Amino acid sequence: EAGVTQFPSHSVIEKGQTVTLRCDPISGHDNLYWYRRVMGKEIKFLLHFVKESKQDESGMPNNRFLAERTGGTYSTLKVQPAELEDSGVYFCASSLTVNTEAFFGQGTRLTVV
Amino acid sequence: AQKVTQAQTEISVVEKEDVTLDCVYETRDTTYYLFWYKQPPSGELVFLIRRNSFDEQNEISGRYSWNFQKSTSSFNFTITASQVVDSAVYFCALSEGTDSWGKLQFGAGTQVVVTP
C-alpha cells in the first residue's frame, strides 16, 4: 500500500513567486493534515481536512497560504506570493479517522530566495 | 508557550549503548495523548507509539521502551542496545483533549547519532 506522497520533494523559488505543493494521502484516509517546519523551529500544525472540508485551519499563518482538497482526495497548498520566511519543510499527513494515528509524507523542502 | 519540551538537541552514542530521550509536556486537559515519531534521513515521520493520559503503564516493544509519568509530566523514550539504523531525529508530540490525533504539538526533536 502506498504511503503519503508529496510533490515536489524540493522547490526553490524567488520571493514573490507562487508555489503549489501537493499531497496524496493514503487511499481511503478521510483526514488530511498539513504541517510545516521553518528553520530552527518546531514542526507546526497548519490545518486539517475531513474529506473536502476544512475542519481546523487555526495554524494557517496568513492569507498568502491557501489549502484545497477538491473531491476529498489529494490536497494542494499554495503560497502566493512567497516570502523568505516561508522557507522550510512542509509535511502532509493522513489518517483513517480522527482517532487513528497519522501517517506522514517525506515532506517538501521549500526554499524562497 | 512551548507545550512539549525536548531539552536534548543531539545525543551521540556508540553502537550497543542505551540512549534515553527526554520529553516533558504541559497541558491543562485531563484527557490527552502523547506520541513519539521517528524521522530517519529519508525524511518522513514514522509513528512509534501513542499513550493516553489514563494509561501510565510503561511499554516495551523490542529494543524500544517508554516511561510515562504523569507526576512529572514526562514521557521518556529509551532505545536499548542502540544500532546504527536508530540514527534519526525523534519527536515527542502531544494531542490535547478532543483534538484529532493528527493535530499534534511537536517538541523540537532530538537528533540521535549512533556510531559503529
Side-chain angles (χ1 to χ4, degrees), chain B residues 8-22:
Chain B
Q8 303 147 308
T9 303
E10 180 172 329
I11 301 176
S12 294
V13 296
V14 177
E15 211 170 17
K16 297 184 182 178
E17 289 184 339
D18 297 348
V19 57
T20 295
L21 311 180
D22 298 333

Side-chain angles (χ1 to χ4, degrees), chain B residues 3-5 22-27 32 34 56 58 67-76 92:
Chain B
K3 293 210 170 186
V4 179
T5 302
D22 298 333
C23 173
V24 175
Y25 63 93
E26 177 185 336
T27 180
Y32 54 90
L34 295 163
E56 285 192 75
N58 293 328
N67 182 2
F68 177 26
Q69 292 194 343
K70 289 179 73 171
S71 60
T72 56
S73 296
S74 65
F75 186 42
N76 297 336
C92 181

Side-chain angles (χ1 to χ4, degrees), chain B residues 39-51:
Chain B
Q39 185 183 36
S42 52
E44 77 279 12
L45 294 165
V46 178
F47 167 79
L48 295 179
I49 190 171
R50 167 185 51 82
R51 304 299 287 175

Side-chain angles (χ1 to χ4, degrees), chain A residues 62-92:
Chain A
N62 53 61
N63 58 11
R64 295 186 293 103
F65 289 76
L66 175 64
E68 295 181 319
R69 194 184 181 195
T70 306
T73 54
Y74 71 90
S75 175
T76 58
L77 180 65
K78 179 188 290 187
V79 185
Q80 179 183 27
E83 298 289 345
L84 298 178
E85 63 265 25
D86 299 331
S87 295
V89 181
Y90 289 76
F91 290 99
C92 176

Side-chain angles (χ1 to χ4, degrees), chain A residues 4 8 17 23 25 32 34 41 56 60 66 69 76 78 80 92 104 108:
Chain A
V4 177
Q17 289 186 324
C23 170
L32 187 148
W34 282 99
K41 299 287 184 65
D56 182 344
M60 294 289 268
L66 175 64
R69 194 184 181 195
T76 58
K78 179 188 290 187
Q80 179 183 27
C92 176
F104 282 76
T108 293

